[in-house]
Amino acid sequence: MRNAALLLVVASLGLANGLFTEQLPVWRQLLFPVLAVAAYLLGRHLPVRRAWMIATLVGAAGAGIAVPYFWEGVSGLACAGVFVALPWLAGAFRRQQAELVAAGRLQVRQMERLLMLNTERAHRDERERIAADLHDSLGHELALIALRSGALELDAGLSEPNRRSVAELRESAVAATDRLRATIGLLRDDAALPADPADESIEALVERVRAAGMTATLIRDDAAAVLPPLVDRAAHRVVRESLTNAARYAPGAEVTVRLERDADDLYVSVRNTAPRSAPLVPSEPGGTGLAGLRERARMLGGALLSGRLDDGYSVAARLPITKEGP
């Protein structure tokens, strides 16, 4: 309201100063540039929402003067247009231009901030991907090394020095596993899993743990032989994590891997019996590895459950076939 009132005053002065211009005194001549500067500054710094209403009022006043004094009304409107309207429009244009420049700079800063956030997110995702790769690959291999060492340590034909060396090897594998888990804790912000495909089939995975000394049995329906890539990848990770946990926490246990498929879902079940010797790692299963598998199953639209049984431990996952996640 204040801005509109100021503009109305300047426009009215421009209209009045344009009347009776036959003999203009010097102060009225100097008033024209003063009005032009004032109108420009008003347009540059003080926005007016309904400037057309002021123009209508001034125009109506000039038209009213033109009824009895035609040329005086025309002269007043011309002066108001030249010394008020045009400078005000120039100032308003300059103000809008400056606002556009400021908005552009703000948008650039926002884009830079968004790029920085995306870069940080990419770095975080990469750390999580590295952590998952370390957990899935190195953790599994270290568990197999510890399993082989434990089996070799029980060999009756082994000499006592060699038995101590094998025991030290097993302890080193367990220590390396603990250091790996600590490293994963530094790299990993949450339980994210990589999207890289599995390097081997589930059959090859089970055969590899058998060669390491684990008693493992694979039962797979013919219908579960061909799976969508994401589902097959998830099933492989469920089996690998479960076998790794069995090697760590249930040495000597018998493990049964079962894959069954119906029209809509793949059911993956890994069960192990009670351990026959002390666990290689003094902690409970179900840490970040199973947490990551639960998240992957959730993203695929399925679910994963794990827990103790009377005679061992079980990991069971349902992975939808018809939905490969978001």
Side-chain angles (χ1 to χ4, degrees), residues 29-49:
Q29 295 178 21
L30 295 177
L31 185 58
F32 284 120
V34 172
L35 290 174
V37 172
Y40 175 82
L41 293 177
L42 286 175
R44 177 67 178 84
H45 299 289
L46 301 177
V48 178
R49 296 181 59 185

Side-chain angles (χ1 to χ4, degrees), residues 95-300:
R95 174 175 51 80
Q96 292 176 355
Q97 186 181 41
E99 290 175 352
L100 289 176
V101 171
R105 291 175 178 172
L106 178 61
Q107 186 175 11
V108 169
R109 288 195 296 269
Q110 291 176 346
M111 293 296 294
E112 290 176 349
R113 190 178 299 110
L114 180 61
L115 179 61
M116 182 179 64
L117 292 176
N118 289 337
T119 302
E120 292 177 354
R121 182 181 302 173
H123 290 168
R124 184 179 66 250
D125 292 343
E126 185 63 23
R127 289 197 304 268
E128 293 168 354
R129 202 171 291 119
I130 293 172
D133 285 339
L134 287 172
H135 181 276
D136 290 340
S137 59
L138 295 182
H140 182 73
E141 297 300 332
L142 288 173
L144 293 183
I145 292 174
L147 181 65
R148 289 191 178 103
S149 302
L152 183 60
E153 189 179 359
L154 299 177
D155 189 357
L158 202 64
S159 63
E160 189 60 29
N162 290 338
R163 193 183 308 278
R164 286 196 299 269
S165 299
V166 172
E168 292 175 357
L169 175 62
R170 179 177 60 82
E171 292 173 358
S172 298
V174 173
T177 302
D178 293 337
R179 293 193 188 100
L180 175 63
R181 297 179 67 178
T183 304
I184 290 174
L186 294 176
L187 290 174
R188 204 169 202 166
D189 289 336
D190 55 20
L193 288 178
D196 299 331
D199 295 332
E200 61 185 349
S201 65
I202 295 178
E203 289 82 357
L205 175 63
V206 174
E207 287 298 328
R208 191 152 61 90
V209 299
R210 284 177 185 161
M214 179 182 291
T215 304
T217 303
L218 174 63
I219 303 174
R220 185 168 190 168
D221 290 348
D222 294 337
V226 180
L227 299 170
L230 286 180
V231 176
D232 184 70
R233 204 174 309 153
H236 183 278
R237 293 190 182 279
V238 169
V239 174
R240 180 165 62 179
E241 177 67 21
S242 301
L243 292 176
T244 301
N245 286 339
R248 288 174 178 170
Y249 308 112
E254 297 180 0
V255 184
T256 301
V257 180
R258 186 182 300 273
L259 286 83
E260 299 176 342
R261 175 180 175 176
D262 58 20
D264 299 321
D265 301 294
L266 173 70
Y267 298 93
V268 182
S269 173
V270 182
R271 294 190 176 187
N272 61 265
T273 60
R276 296 181 180 177
S277 57
L280 300 177
V281 180
S283 60
E284 294 294 329
T288 58
L290 289 179
L293 293 180
R294 290 191 187 93
E295 178 63 16
R296 174 170 285 266
R298 185 191 65 80
M299 292 178 64
L300 291 174

